Amino acid sequence: MIQLYKMIVMNYILKNGDAHLRNFGVLYEHDMTKIRLSPAYDVVTTVVYIYKDKPALTLCGRKLWASLHELKKFGQKFFFLFV
């Protein structure tokens, strides 16, 4: 779960407005013995091309770029981080 949090934070810091659900994948063995998050992919900075771009997904009920403070609170609430 820490890896997922890091990927979310990375996409917000880079302002990747194209980070939608299909950009977060899961890899697993055929017998489901090993399940893991796939490496990050399709990571771009969209605000360079679309000046007023917004996140594709909501964070805490909003489709706005979160501040570092908000990202830390999100991590503490949903990922039980002590950042």
Side-chain angles (χ1 to χ4, degrees):
M1 292 301 288
I2 300 296
Q3 190 63 26
L4 176 60
Y5 174 70
K6 288 179 180 181
M7 290 168 64
I8 292 168
V9 169
M10 175 185 63
N11 279 291
Y12 267 79
I13 289 172
L14 293 174
K15 293 193 175 176
N16 179 9
D18 190 43
H20 48 77
L21 286 178
R22 292 183 308 265
N23 288 28
F24 299 92
V26 177
L27 301 172
Y28 52 89
E29 300 296 324
H30 181 68
D31 61 359
M32 299 291 215
T33 55
K34 286 175 93 177
I35 302 172
R36 62 199 180 281
L37 192 63
S38 67
Y41 56 92
D42 196 18
V43 179
V44 296
T45 303
T46 56
V47 293
V48 173
Y49 307 102
I50 306 167
Y51 178 69
K52 293 187 178 189
D53 200 15
K54 294 181 182 172
L57 299 174
T58 60
L59 184 75
C60 299
R62 302 179 317 158
K63 273 195 164 188
L64 299 171
W65 297 116
S67 67
L68 289 178
H69 176 73
E70 291 169 315
L71 291 169
K72 285 180 183 180
K73 283 176 48 179
F74 175 72
Q76 290 168 341
K77 183 174 181 178
F78 295 103
F79 295 92
F80 309 105
L81 300 178
F82 299 101
V83 289

